[in-house]
């Protein structure tokens, strides 16, 4: 990956230390097809950044670049510069598995392992060697489940299969699993799209809580959700980052006509 | 710009702005007729104005209900949200204008006995100025023209200036001849009502600016109604 500095326009006043992650001139190809065009976007520490845009706009592609999930797709080529705390995450010195422990991910569809609730959460700490004994491991599991707002509901059945939980609970289990390896950044790819409004509200409440300890990036199709949970919003269209900025302004007075058209339901 | 994917959303927004325009037309008509009634001391017309005010009030309620329903149904964003918020605010200003016009009309009865026609003509001039302001600001709304709205906003100073001079004039009459205190007080209230109508037109202008630009007009409001700080100096009247 080229380390060359790409000139980008960033808000001058902000010091780069506030950026947990920074993408500069990111281009992504799937085979011959280009999915992202020269995207530069800052992810601010302890803030929720939401990525919005119509299907196929590249928002999921971008979020998957942030923890190198695209590595597993053979035809996918990522070019440009993506840093985590100022270090290039595509550098050969970086271990992708370790990176994914620091940059965790929660998917659209809750995907608990076919294991017990306890083991779902304990899996990560075990393979990363985060707990030296059983007591430590239990403490991590309880703390992660509590932070994910699930502990009270499952404390009496920690050894029941993860798949026996409701959809919303499964999603919170996946969040607990992501938290268990003490990541710094949590990526969420449409985490509520399969959930009912109550389960959605719980997750949104949780996102707000988690922001204190983690940096969060969320892809969502619900504009209202982006407006509710995030402090920063980036709008993608046809592989291009059209506009990004404080959520408050993105949803009240966007600068770009395409953003305005999309958020007011005028696209097409 | 009406081209939502959901067409019924367009219809709702159009209906809302149509209703605001209709209400504006009605408020304008009420004010015009109130000034007429006062000028000609026409009791029947005054009575008709009082009755017609209910229509203005009803339109305000309709607009509010439609706006609330649209917000609940569509969760509007950006420009759409501003359009809806602004329609509620403009409707409330128009409702106040309707009330003030009704109040002017009511004073016709009290002035019937004294017929202070000379002073009334000064009031007529001020009224026509405020009416023009209202007309212009409603045009600006219909055309989504922020520049025109800003023009109205600046023009409020002229109405205020007329009110100041009328205020002094009425004071002088009252000091010269206490028998004029009754009719002059009514005229003073009518003038104050017209001055307030000018202020509501200014509010509407600010809302149009916000609707178009998404930010508040941040200059200081032109303000030259100084009557609240004007001391009444008896010595002047006694010496003259």
């Amino acid at each position: 990956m080229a380390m060359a500095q790409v000139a980008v326009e960033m808000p001058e006043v902000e010091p780069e230390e506030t950026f947990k992650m920074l993408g500069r001139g990111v281009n992504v190809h799937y085979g011959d097809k280009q999915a992202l065009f020269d995207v530069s976007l800052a992810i601010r520490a302890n803030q929720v950044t939401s990525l919005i845009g119509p299907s196929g706009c590249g928002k999921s592609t971008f979020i998957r670049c942030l923890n190198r999930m695209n590595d597993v797709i053979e035809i996918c080529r990522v070019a440009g510069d993506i840093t985590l705390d100022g270090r290039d995450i595509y550098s050969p010195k970086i271990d992708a598995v370790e990176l994914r422990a620091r940059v965790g991910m929660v998917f659209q569809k809750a995907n608990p392992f076919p294991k017990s609730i306890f083991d779902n959460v304990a899996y990560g700490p075990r393979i990363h060697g985060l707990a030296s004994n059983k007591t430590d491991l239990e403490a991590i599991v309880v703390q992660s489940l509590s932070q994910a707002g699930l502990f009270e509901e499952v404390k009496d059945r920690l050894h029941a299969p993860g798949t026996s939980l409701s959809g919303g609970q499964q999603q919170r289990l996946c969040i607990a699993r992501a938290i268990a390896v003490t990541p710094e950044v949590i990526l969420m790819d449409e985490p509520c799209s399969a959930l009912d409004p109550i389960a959605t509200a719980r997750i949104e409440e949780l996102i707000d809580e988690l922001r204190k300890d983690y940096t969060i990036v969320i892809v969502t199709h619900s504009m209202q959700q982006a407006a509710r949970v995030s402090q920063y919003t980036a709008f993608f269209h046809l592989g291009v980052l059209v506009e990004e900025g404080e959520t408050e302004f993105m949803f009240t007075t966007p600068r770009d006509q395409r953003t305005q058209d999309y958020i007011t339901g005028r696209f097409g | 710009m009406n081209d939502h994917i959901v067409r019924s959303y367009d219809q709702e927004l159009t209906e809302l702005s149509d209703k605001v325009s209709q209400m504006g037309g009605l408020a304008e008509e009420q004010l015009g007729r109130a000034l007429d009634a006062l000028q000609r001391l026409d009791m029947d017309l005054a009575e008709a104005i009082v009755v017609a005010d209910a229509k203005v009030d009803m339109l305000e309620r309709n607009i509010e209900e439609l706006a609330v329903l649209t917000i609940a149904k569509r969760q509007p964003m950006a420009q759409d949200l501003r359009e809806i918020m602004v329609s509620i605010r403009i409707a409330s200003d128009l409702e106040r204008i309707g009330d003030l016009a009704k109040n002017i009309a009511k004073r016709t009865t009290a002035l019937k006995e004294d017929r202070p026609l000379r002073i009334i003509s000064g009031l007529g001039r001020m009224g026509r100025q405020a009416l023009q302001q209202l007309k212009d600001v409603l045009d600006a709304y219909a055309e989504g023209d922020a520049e025109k709205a800003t023009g109205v906003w600046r023009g409020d100073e002229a109405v205020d200036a007329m009110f100041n001079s009328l205020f002094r004039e009425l004071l002088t009459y009252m000091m010269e001849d206490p028998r004029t205190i009754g009719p002059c007080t009514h005229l003073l209230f009518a003038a104050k009502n017209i001055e307030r109508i000018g202020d509501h037109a200014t509010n509407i202008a600010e809302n149009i600016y916000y609707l178009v630009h998404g930010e508040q007009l941040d200059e200081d409001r032109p303000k030259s109604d100084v009557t609240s700080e004007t001391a009444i100096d008896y010595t002047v009247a006694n010496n003259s």
Side-chain angles (χ1 to χ4, degrees):
Chain A
M1 164 136 281
M3 293 293 284
Q5 290 293 307
V6 184
V8 281
E9 274 184 49
M10 282 291 158
E12 257 85 45
V13 284
E14 265 177 300
E16 284 202 8
E17 297 87 80
T18 62
F19 299 154
K20 186 69 189 170
M21 299 192 79
L22 185 59
R24 282 191 267 215
V26 177
N27 283 284
V28 176
H29 286 82
Y30 292 113
D32 293 337
K33 197 179 173 308
Q34 189 163 1
L36 279 184
F37 297 82
D38 214 22
V39 171
S40 295
L41 180 65
I43 308 297
R44 291 156 180 92
N46 294 95
Q47 305 284 329
V48 180
T49 303
S50 58
L51 313 182
I52 60 166
S55 296
C57 69
K59 56 191 189 302
S60 290
T61 298
F62 183 77
I63 203 176
R64 293 166 65 90
C65 288
L66 296 179
N67 70 345
R68 293 179 54 177
M69 288 292 286
N70 289 327
D71 284 15
V72 296
I73 302 170
E74 217 161 280
I75 56 164
C76 180
R77 280 181 297 123
V78 179
D81 216 22
I82 299 176
T83 59
L84 172 63
D85 289 333
R87 289 183 59 206
D88 182 2
I89 63 167
Y90 282 86
S91 145
K93 286 181 223 146
I94 296 277
D95 172 20
V97 175
E98 203 180 302
L99 171 72
R100 288 180 203 132
R102 290 180 67 192
V103 184
M105 191 148 188
V106 175
F107 297 88
Q108 178 172 4
K109 198 171 169 308
N111 53 353
F113 301 136
K115 289 169 180 290
S116 70
I117 293 169
F118 184 94
D119 286 337
N120 259 281
V121 183
Y123 182 79
R126 267 192 200 121
I127 60 163
H128 287 285
L130 297 180
S132 47
N133 54 50
K134 200 163 166 269
T135 328
D136 277 2
L137 187 63
E138 275 172 12
I140 292 174
V141 170
V142 170
Q143 210 221 322
S144 305
L145 285 170
S146 305
Q147 248 194 318
L150 187 62
F151 185 68
E152 283 306 311
E153 291 161 57
V154 300
K155 61 181 176 193
D156 301 323
R157 47 178 171 140
L158 288 176
H159 296 284
T163 47
S164 66
L165 299 173
S166 74
Q169 288 173 327
Q170 285 189 23
Q171 195 60 300
R172 278 180 283 148
L173 178 62
C174 292
I175 293 173
R177 189 176 63 190
I179 295 170
V181 293
T182 58
E184 294 154 48
V185 181
I186 302 175
L187 311 176
M188 299 183 170
D189 195 352
E190 293 181 51
C192 301
S193 58
L195 303 182
D196 73 10
I198 293 165
T200 299
R202 287 233 170 83
I203 301 276
E204 287 181 7
E205 167 69 17
L206 179 58
I207 290 172
D208 215 35
E209 278 289 308
L210 294 175
R211 181 160 78 84
K212 293 191 199 100
D213 303 315
Y214 309 95
T215 298
I216 295 171
V217 186
I218 177 171
V219 165
T220 175
H221 272 301
S222 159
M223 249 92 63
Q224 277 72 31
Q225 181 169 65
R228 285 191 301 260
V229 304
S230 68
Q231 285 71 50
Y232 290 88
T233 298
F235 170 61
F236 287 76
H237 182 48
L238 300 173
V240 175
L241 174 64
V242 173
E243 185 172 352
E244 62 108 6
E246 285 176 51
T247 298
E248 197 185 317
F249 296 107
M250 287 288 284
F251 288 106
T252 53
T253 44
R255 295 181 298 267
D256 195 288
Q257 188 61 45
R258 286 168 290 177
T259 316
Q260 167 99 332
D261 287 353
Y262 180 67
I263 63 171
T264 56
R266 287 181 162 92
F267 241 60
Chain B
M1 186 184 60
N2 278 334
D3 38 17
H4 285 94
I5 297 166
V6 183
R7 231 170 316 150
S8 52
Y9 189 1
D10 284 343
Q11 284 161 8
E12 282 163 19
L13 289 177
T14 309
E15 191 185 344
L16 199 56
S17 67
D18 284 353
K19 279 221 155 78
V20 173
S21 294
Q22 189 193 344
M23 189 180 171
L26 203 57
E28 189 186 316
E29 190 190 323
Q30 287 283 89
L31 176 59
R33 296 202 307 164
L35 294 171
D36 255 11
L38 196 65
Q39 203 98 46
R40 304 202 311 257
L41 296 172
D42 182 337
M43 293 308 131
D44 295 335
L45 184 54
E47 186 55 38
I49 292 161
V50 172
V51 173
D53 185 54
K55 262 198 281 181
V56 182
D57 293 355
M58 194 188 69
L59 266 170
E60 191 207 8
R61 277 197 301 277
N62 285 348
I63 288 166
E64 239 180 63
E65 280 163 16
L66 186 58
V68 168
L69 185 66
T70 309
I71 292 172
K73 264 206 292 202
R74 313 284 181 194
Q75 287 100 49
M77 292 271 192
Q79 173 86 25
D80 296 338
L81 182 56
R82 291 205 295 278
E83 248 173 65
I84 295 171
M85 296 312 295
V86 161
S87 70
I88 298 174
R89 293 209 291 244
I90 292 182
S92 128
D93 278 315
L94 290 172
E95 189 273 336
R96 293 299 306 145
I97 291 175
D99 281 353
L100 292 165
K102 178 172 82 172
N103 189 273
I104 293 169
K106 275 184 181 167
R107 293 185 191 277
T108 307
T109 326
L111 291 166
K112 184 79 179 167
E113 296 297 296
D114 304 286
R115 314 186 63 80
L117 293 175
R118 190 163 55 100
I119 319 171
I120 289 178
S121 84
L123 197 69
R125 241 193 341 271
M126 181 186 176
R128 280 191 297 279
Q129 177 70 24
L131 187 61
Q132 190 59 48
Q133 290 278 94
L134 180 59
K135 235 182 217 136
D136 289 347
V137 87
L138 291 171
D139 285 349
Y141 174 74
E143 294 154 18
D145 187 342
E147 215 160 299
K148 193 171 205 169
T150 315
V152 173
W153 188 76
R154 297 223 165 80
D156 188 48
E157 234 167 338
V159 180
D160 285 353
M162 284 179 176
F163 178 57
N164 289 338
S165 77
L166 221 79
F167 179 79
R168 285 169 192 284
E169 195 184 339
L170 288 166
L171 276 187
T172 312
Y173 292 138
M174 290 191 270
M175 283 188 279
E176 276 173 4
D177 181 358
R179 282 171 301 175
T180 64
I181 288 178
C184 281
T185 304
H186 280 296
L187 288 170
L188 195 55
F189 274 117
K192 183 67 194 166
N193 286 345
I194 295 170
E195 190 272 332
R196 294 294 302 145
I197 287 171
D199 288 347
H200 286 294
T202 311
N203 282 347
I204 295 174
E206 284 173 355
N207 278 306
I208 295 167
Y209 186 92
Y210 170 71
L211 171 65
V212 174
H213 293 293
E215 51 190 58
Q216 311 285 349
L217 191 59
D218 64 353
E219 292 171 51
D220 280 334
R221 204 170 207 190
K223 195 93 204 115
S224 43
D225 169 13
V226 292
T227 55
S228 32
E229 292 126 51
T230 304
I232 297 163
D233 188 355
Y234 284 100
T235 56
V236 177
N238 293 338
N239 292 343
S240 58

